[in-house]
Amino acid sequence: MPFLGQDWRSPGCVWVRTCSGWERLLRQDPSREFGETESFQRIDEQNQRNNEKHQTGETVDNIPTCGAHCESTLGECYHWVYYSRDSTRECHGYLTLGEAVRKLDFSNAVEDTKRFRYVCKLLHLLLGEKMTELAGSAQKNLFSILEKIVNRVIESQTDIGPIHELLTMAAKSLWEERWHHIGYSKTLWIQRMEALLRMKGNLNNIRIKERSDDGKMTLTDLPNEVIREILHRVADHRDIFSLAASNRGMSEFGRDWKMWKNLCEFHFTEEQIKTFLKEDKENKDIPWQEIYLRCYRRFGPREVFTDMLQLCCSCKVLFWKDTGHPCLDPANAVSLPITPKDFLKLFEM
């Protein structure tokens, strides 16, 4: 009879009895919960048939178990990983930054629109601050993720500017630390730099395809109120300047003080805005665009992510919010959101 293990070293895993003993079960369908009666009955029936075949000398059927080979990849399949920074008697070793990036599947996360911005922000911090602290395998994985991001941008023809800045930062980090990274290997350094130059060249060769006149509605066909609501949710103010410069009818939105006021209130706190705000003026006389740009340069924009990492307080597991994880105490589970900066702080010595 299978049982649901509550061992804190192996949170929420399912074990089944086989001919060779108890085995950890690898969940095949992530949308189904652990411990479903239907799955247990199916496993019991298959185990019973295998026991009968074993007694008669027949070949037994394969059971979807997770043995020594699958055990190491269990966390990768579910996109969660146990977070530990101390080596204990029960758990030898600890989670490294490179291992967390690999097991949380950042490589395939760039294909998910909800996680794309989170991965880009994390790479921005890694390339700018932690590049030389990563092991060789972690750096290789980092550049593999970076190349996937570039390929996605080329295919979608979006986010070209931010990714171009990301590549420039990576090249700067490589050049500044050219004698103190990758095990002092000149060959690897040259390979990394050539890969960056190749990716930058591919970005520079992008030609934006102009939309053909298909008779469908365009942005200029929308009412002004709808266009303002769209621009209020733009993450990068440079897109607003580009839109204002692309069309004479759109230039008025670049000077709309209500839109810039809403952007200030969304990205910055009241105390931050008051740093540059003179209270003796009315709203329409306040240079909201100038205030926004000055706040942006000093405080930076607000970080907004559709999907981000969470840290479960009950079982100390890092997981993606949309995917979830098999929690030890799901009824009383409390999870903390982990920003890219918080993620790096988890691995500081």
Side-chain angles (χ1 to χ4, degrees), residues 176-191:
E176 291 178 350
E177 303 292 340
R178 57 188 180 277
W179 307 116
H180 306 287
H181 74 293
I182 321 182
Y184 301 91
S185 173
K186 182 178 179 180
T187 303
L188 288 178
W189 184 88
I190 293 175
Q191 291 177 357

Side-chain angles (χ1 to χ4, degrees), residues 143-157:
F143 274 81
S144 176
I145 296 173
L146 189 59
E147 190 159 6
K148 281 192 174 184
I149 290 177
V150 173
N151 293 335
R152 182 186 184 277
V153 169
I154 293 175
E155 182 180 356
S156 62
Q157 296 188 344

Side-chain angles (χ1 to χ4, degrees), residues 38-52 61 63:
E38 178 183 348
S39 299
F40 287 166
Q41 291 177 350
R42 178 175 52 83
I43 296 170
D44 286 340
E45 293 173 357
Q46 191 170 0
N47 275 329
Q48 187 176 1
R49 290 195 301 267
N50 285 342
N51 289 332
E52 295 175 355
D61 299 329
I63 300 177

